[in-house]
Amino acid sequence: MSVAVHLRVVSLAERPDLASAMLTMESTWPAYVRAEPLLINWAFERHPEHQLVVLDGEGDDERVIARAASVPFAWDGDVDSLPDTGWDEVLRQSMLDTYAGRELTAVCALEIAVVPGSQARNLSSRTLVALNDNARRFGFADLMAPVRPSNKHAEPETSITDYTARTRSDGLPADAWLRVHVREGGQIIKVCPVSMAIAGSLAQWRGWTGLPFDTDGPVAVPGALTLVEVSVKHDRAVYIEPNVWIRHRLTT
């Protein structure tokens, strides 16, 4: 597959040697957004054909400049059955469905990330197109995505429902990343209120953010889409990240 001149898209099934480079690629994800490594490693090993990397350069100059991770899962086509615990749950569901031998009927995008400084090349949109094309090539009719709105972090106290409902004068979503999905044919179908739950000690949160975390209650954290709840007494802080479920129909 090719997304632009001089750029190449390959899967880990084609290039298993790129797994480490894909995982360690620099990205703009906050340090506290941490997926369960055992599940990620399982997805890479069991479904490498759904893990994509965008390469720039050749030979010794070859480097990963974008990545797209996804997993197939058994979906009945009912929007209401998509889990409110989106990102966390669909990865677990993919594992359960795979081992149970269920028919895997849809693909769920887990992440699209671009190396900082490369966004001007429209790589996010091109990588999304490549992910859709890859799922279509394997015969899937739908690509689902619990999408992380790119500008929501600037308004952590705004509800995800109100934020998602905002549109521009042309009718497209006000949020830039949601807008990319809609332009590529995606349909916003519902809010995913508890897509990822991240808990840690106060020392962990201080290390991730550089903030003191010395007061009980909600704290605004750079990059977080909602406020982080802090309990000094229990030496714990919890972040619940909401996403937005988007459906890409891959057949016409």
Side-chain angles (χ1 to χ4, degrees):
M1 287 177 287
S2 176
V3 293
V5 176
H6 306 308
L7 299 181
R8 304 182 313 286
V9 178
V10 297
S11 71
L12 290 189
E14 299 166 307
R15 290 285 306 274
D17 59 298
L18 293 173
S20 178
M22 180 182 180
L23 283 170
T24 59
M25 185 198 88
E26 184 184 4
S27 73
T28 57
W29 284 86
Y32 48 83
V33 177
R34 307 166 68 84
E36 170 54 54
L38 288 178
L39 288 176
I40 293 296
N41 290 337
W42 172 84
F44 275 36
E45 292 175 3
R46 183 62 181 80
H47 296 294
E49 71 278 11
H50 293 290
Q51 320 310 322
L52 305 181
V53 294
V54 180
L55 297 169
D56 193 9
E58 296 181 352
D60 292 340
D61 294 326
E62 180 182 78
R63 66 189 185 100
V64 174
I65 59 171
R67 66 190 180 202
S70 63
V71 290
F73 69 115
W75 181 48
D76 60 8
D78 183 358
V79 169
D80 291 336
S81 72
L82 292 171
D84 288 341
T85 50
W87 204 103
D88 284 343
E89 180 58 31
V90 81
L91 187 50
R92 288 190 288 267
Q93 185 177 331
S94 175
M95 177 183 282
L96 293 173
D97 292 340
T98 299
Y99 284 133
R102 301 185 185 102
E103 181 184 4
L104 305 176
T105 57
V107 172
C108 184
L110 299 175
E111 177 194 29
I112 292 175
V114 175
V115 168
S118 298
Q119 287 88 344
R121 302 170 73 175
N122 201 26
L123 280 176
S124 294
S125 177
R126 291 169 174 166
T127 306
L128 173 59
V129 170
L131 195 61
N132 279 336
D133 287 346
N134 189 67
R136 187 181 294 111
R137 184 164 63 93
F138 282 100
F140 291 96
D142 292 284
L143 181 134
M144 314 303 296
V147 175
R148 186 178 205 265
S150 58
N151 306 120
K152 174 68 173 70
H153 65 90
E155 304 178 40
E157 297 187 58
T158 300
S159 78
I160 188 67
T161 300
D162 290 345
Y163 182 86
T164 303
R166 293 180 188 166
T167 58
R168 307 191 312 182
S169 59
D170 59 5
L172 290 172
D175 182 82
W177 188 219
L178 295 181
R179 195 161 59 245
V180 168
H181 277 269
V182 171
R183 279 176 170 158
E184 295 301 336
Q187 177 188 10
I188 295 174
I189 52 178
K190 68 175 185 177
V191 163
C192 182
V194 195
S195 190
M196 187 180 292
I198 300 159
S201 68
L202 300 187
Q204 285 178 304
W205 279 98
R206 290 173 188 129
W208 292 332
T209 67
L211 298 178
F213 281 92
D214 55 2
T215 304
D216 286 325
V219 174
V221 171
L225 308 192
T226 58
L227 300 175
V228 176
E229 290 293 333
V230 179
S231 171
V232 175
K233 176 181 178 180
H234 296 100
D235 187 33
R236 205 75 174 160
V238 179
Y239 170 56
I240 304 297
E241 172 155 308
N243 287 169
V244 179
W245 275 113
I246 291 184
R247 180 181 192 177
H248 289 266
R249 295 178 184 265
L250 305 179
T251 58
T252 56

